[in-house]
Amino acid sequence: GQQLNQSPQSMFIQEGEDVSMNCTSSSIFNTWLWYKQDPGEGPVLLIALYKAGELTSNGRLTAQFGITRKDSFLNISASIPSDVGIYFCAALNYGGSQGNLIFGKGTKLSVKP
Amino acid sequence: NAGVTQTPKFQVLKTGQSMTLQCAQDMNHNSMYWYRQDPGMGLRLIYYSASEGTTDKGEVPNGYNVSRLNKREFSLRLESAAPSQTSVYFCASKRDSLYGYTFGSGTRLTVV
């Protein structure tokens, strides 16, 4: 079945550093999404990407929809302690029967104050 | 605007007991989903409902049943709980468009 490979699995960074994570697949998708899950909460949508090559920002977050439609990247600039959490990529191929999201396994981000 | 509401937030069951996890959304979404989250496994789809009156199996449906009671409510039932069902369960809903899901805050279930 379709699978998203998200990396890295976890990372520790110093406050103020930039962060990069990515998600790849052997399948083509029409939509890429990035979610953040705070401890004890459900995932919350950060950025949605609908077009190959699209680059979208949300504050200190920037995400890109890969030109091949098989990958996506998320960058966080100048990290702060509240960036701690798990970041999930998700992809959707609405050519499928139900258009259900497929999720990566997550990148756990920990920040050293 | 509550979004997606899940109850209960925490539950401890003994092996063999049954229970129903409740989910309700107030966004008039057609599609609703149940996921489980286990460490290192990400979010795995249990069941989903594309519209009122329809339900379909996801990736890990064994041991679960669902009911789409009406457009707002989608419940998940464990008929005979097993320790392997210890997990965090999330309900989500989606507009019928390109937008992503809206998640509830989860139910933390422990089966002993």
Side-chain angles (χ1 to χ4, degrees):
Chain A
Q2 295 174 320
Q3 200 169 0
L4 301 184
N5 302 307
Q6 189 172 350
S7 64
Q9 276 188 305
S10 62
M11 53 195 315
F12 287 87
I13 61 168
Q14 196 74 31
E15 184 176 353
E17 286 182 345
D18 296 343
V19 173
S20 291
M21 59 190 79
N22 68 78
C23 210
T24 61
S25 177
S26 58
S27 302
I28 291 174
F29 293 99
N30 293 309
T31 300
W32 284 92
L33 304 155
W34 286 93
Y35 284 84
K36 184 195 176 195
Q37 184 180 26
D38 289 325
E41 298 294 329
V44 173
L45 182 64
L46 296 174
I47 292 179
L49 303 156
Y50 302 117
K51 189 176 175 182
E54 181 181 356
L55 187 71
T56 297
S57 294
N58 179 5
R60 294 178 294 105
L61 277 61
T62 301
Q64 184 161 25
F65 190 144
I67 197 72
T68 65
R69 295 166 62 193
K70 294 181 178 181
D71 55 14
S72 181
F73 306 87
L74 177 69
N75 295 314
I76 305 172
S77 62
S79 58
I80 59 178
S82 62
D83 290 334
V84 162
I86 303 175
Y87 291 79
F88 290 101
C89 63
L92 177 64
N93 185 350
Y94 51 80
S97 60
Q98 295 294 338
N100 295 333
L101 278 180
I102 299 168
F103 285 88
K105 290 189 165 71
T107 294
K108 187 174 182 179
L109 184 61
S110 302
V111 178
K112 298 177 186 177
Chain B
N1 188 358
V4 178
T5 302
Q6 290 184 236
T7 55
K9 289 191 181 300
F10 301 93
Q11 184 71 49
V12 178
L13 290 179
K14 293 182 179 178
T15 297
Q17 284 185 318
S18 62
M19 81 160 294
T20 300
L21 282 64
Q22 306 287 352
C23 174
Q25 52 93 8
D26 61 1
M27 298 171 286
N28 203 36
H29 288 175
N30 282 322
S31 302
M32 297 186 73
Y33 305 82
W34 276 104
Y35 284 88
R36 61 177 288 174
Q37 183 179 25
D38 303 291
M41 300 296 291
L43 291 156
R44 293 184 292 170
L45 182 63
I46 305 172
Y47 270 94
Y48 63 96
S49 171
S51 62
E52 185 179 354
T54 68
T55 61
D56 284 286
K57 294 179 180 179
E59 179 186 356
V60 288
N62 291 344
Y64 306 95
N65 285 301
V66 291
S67 295
R68 184 73 183 268
L69 304 169
N70 47 55
K71 191 170 186 178
R72 290 187 64 246
E73 299 173 287
F74 188 37
S75 62
L76 178 71
R77 182 160 178 84
L78 285 70
E79 291 292 350
S80 178
S84 61
Q85 295 178 304
T86 293
S87 187
V88 181
Y89 292 85
F90 288 99
C91 177
S93 68
K94 180 176 81 75
R95 288 171 55 180
D96 292 334
S97 65
L98 302 179
Y99 295 94
Y101 299 179
T102 300
F103 284 86
S105 58
T107 294
R108 283 143 188 83
L109 176 68
T110 301
V111 183
V112 297

